[in-house]
């Protein structure tokens, strides 16, 4: 290559780099000028954020039927100029996490769940139609295989959620029991969770009161899934607003030391 050509190439490269740095400086100035103190995200913001969490109080359904949360004024605004509650909370109430420690003597407590397992791809198995006819229907291995056949492999580290439409019943006694007063709600079957355990899935979630179906006599899913070092999410909300694949779930797990679980704020990014 001639000397003249080399010089021209150097000039063009310098001009290109100058344009790049100028653009970056303008963008940086715009951020500073707007008062933003955080860096621009490396990826686009999600088109939609869906709250998968029920707001709850002492009337929210619980497994044992007792109020899961109780409020007491600790400081009142009329007396002190500010206010705060003293809360008495049972860990497994509202939209909440089941940590491995919930069903194993030496499993990880909720504060020990790795952060990378709390932000994950979300795969949804829809059994709404079956749940209309059978309150205790379960997701089984065949449902997982059918999902994979239709949608591709479940990503490693994913959260796999059961969608049954049950969250819409949350203000009705049928969310918890049938007409005879017996527990009745959909859940995971052990054949499904045994398969998911081989696929390196981080967690399972349900829009019902328990990972196991209401008529379970042995809590087979709790007794195998959680001791395996994985976690669960119960009482999810608004799964109907999401596609069966493509969303990212963000699990705001509590972090009290030695916890067997606890109420969580769970979001989905689409």
């Amino acid at each position: 290559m001639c000397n003249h050509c080399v010089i021209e190439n150097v000039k063009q490269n310098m001009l290109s780099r100058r344009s790049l740095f100028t653009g970056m400086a303008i963008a940086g100035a715009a951020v500073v000028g707007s008062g933003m103190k955080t860096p621009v995200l490396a990826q686009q913001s999600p088109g939609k954020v869906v709250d998968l969490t029920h707001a709850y109080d002492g009337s929210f359904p619980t497994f044992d039927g007792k109020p899961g949360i109780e409020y007491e004024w600790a400081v009142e605004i009329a007396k002190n100029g500010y206010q705060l509650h003293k809360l008495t909370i049972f860990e497994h109430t509202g939209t909440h996490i089941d940590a491995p420690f919930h069903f194993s003597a030496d499993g990880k407590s909720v504060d020990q769940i790795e952060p990378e397992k709390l932000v994950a791809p979300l795969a949804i198995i829809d059994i709404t139609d079956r749940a209309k006819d059978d309150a205790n229907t379960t997701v089984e291995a065949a449902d997982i295989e059918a999902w994979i056949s239709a949608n591709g492999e479940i990503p490693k580290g994913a959260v796999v959620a059961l969608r049954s439409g049950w969250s819409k019943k949350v203000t009705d006694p049928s969310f918890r029991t049938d007409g005879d007063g017996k527990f009745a709600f959909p859940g995971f079957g052990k054949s499904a969770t045994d398969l998911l355990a081989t696929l390196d899935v981080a967690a399972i979630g349900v829009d019902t009161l328990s990972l196991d179906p209401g008529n379970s006599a042995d809590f087979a899913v709790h007794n195998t899934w959680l001791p395996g070092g994985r976690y669960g999410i119960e009482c999810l909300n608004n799964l109907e607003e999401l596609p069966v694949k493509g969303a990212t779930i963000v699990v705001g797990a509590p972090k009290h030391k030695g916890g067997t679980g606890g109420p969580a704020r769970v979001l989905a990014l689409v």
Side-chain angles (χ1 to χ4, degrees):
M1 182 180 292
C2 65
N3 289 339
H4 175 73
C5 295
V6 171
I7 293 171
E8 287 301 312
N9 280 339
V10 171
K11 286 182 178 179
Q12 291 301 318
N13 286 336
M14 291 177 67
L15 288 173
S16 296
R17 293 181 66 185
R18 184 178 300 169
S19 298
L20 173 63
F21 291 140
T22 300
M24 291 172 65
I26 292 172
V31 170
V32 173
S34 68
M36 291 178 63
K37 296 182 180 180
T38 55
V40 177
L41 294 175
Q43 60 186 25
Q44 281 189 324
S45 298
K48 183 167 70 169
V49 179
V50 178
D51 194 344
L52 303 183
T53 317
H54 287 282
Y56 80 110
D57 57 19
S59 67
F60 193 90
T62 59
F63 202 83
D64 62 7
K66 299 176 182 178
I69 182 171
E70 294 179 338
Y71 299 76
E72 177 185 344
W73 282 114
V75 180
E76 298 183 60
I77 197 164
K79 297 178 181 178
N80 305 95
Y82 71 103
Q83 56 194 359
L84 62 89
H85 287 111
K86 173 185 176 181
L87 300 179
T88 301
I89 300 175
F90 286 88
E91 289 176 312
H92 298 268
T93 184
T95 302
H96 67 274
I97 303 298
D98 281 8
F101 192 40
H102 184 36
F103 266 70
S104 55
D106 57 355
K108 289 182 179 179
S109 54
V110 71
D111 58 297
Q112 295 174 327
I113 297 175
E114 299 90 334
E116 58 269 22
K117 292 184 178 179
L118 300 174
V119 180
L122 177 63
I124 297 175
I125 312 295
D126 194 314
I127 58 169
T128 303
D129 289 340
R130 291 211 311 261
K132 292 175 182 177
D133 298 323
D134 179 6
N136 291 296
T137 190
T138 52
V139 170
E140 298 294 342
D143 297 303
I144 305 299
E145 291 165 350
W147 192 97
I148 292 172
S149 178
N151 300 286
E153 295 298 321
I154 295 174
K156 290 184 177 181
V159 172
V160 176
L162 169 164
R163 181 168 70 196
S164 67
W166 223 250
S167 62
K168 296 178 180 179
K169 298 173 177 277
V170 73
T171 58
D172 190 89
S174 61
F175 180 80
R176 183 172 177 269
T177 58
D178 60 18
D180 297 323
K182 296 179 180 179
F183 287 127
F185 41 79
F188 275 90
K190 188 172 179 296
S191 73
T193 52
D194 284 349
L195 175 56
L196 292 174
T198 70
L199 301 179
D200 199 18
V201 167
I204 56 174
V206 295
D207 56 2
T208 66
L209 201 56
S210 174
L211 303 178
D212 289 278
N215 63 355
S216 174
D218 57 6
F219 294 96
V221 170
H222 276 86
N223 276 302
T224 54
W225 183 258
L226 299 178
R230 296 165 287 268
Y231 71 96
I233 314 169
E234 294 175 336
C235 296
L236 287 167
N237 194 21
N238 295 324
L239 288 174
E240 293 78 15
E241 296 185 26
L242 299 173
V244 297
K245 73 171 190 176
T248 297
I249 192 168
V250 181
V251 184
K255 203 174 180 181
H256 54 295
K257 291 184 178 181
T260 69
R265 189 70 179 264
V266 185
L267 306 173
L269 313 179
V270 187

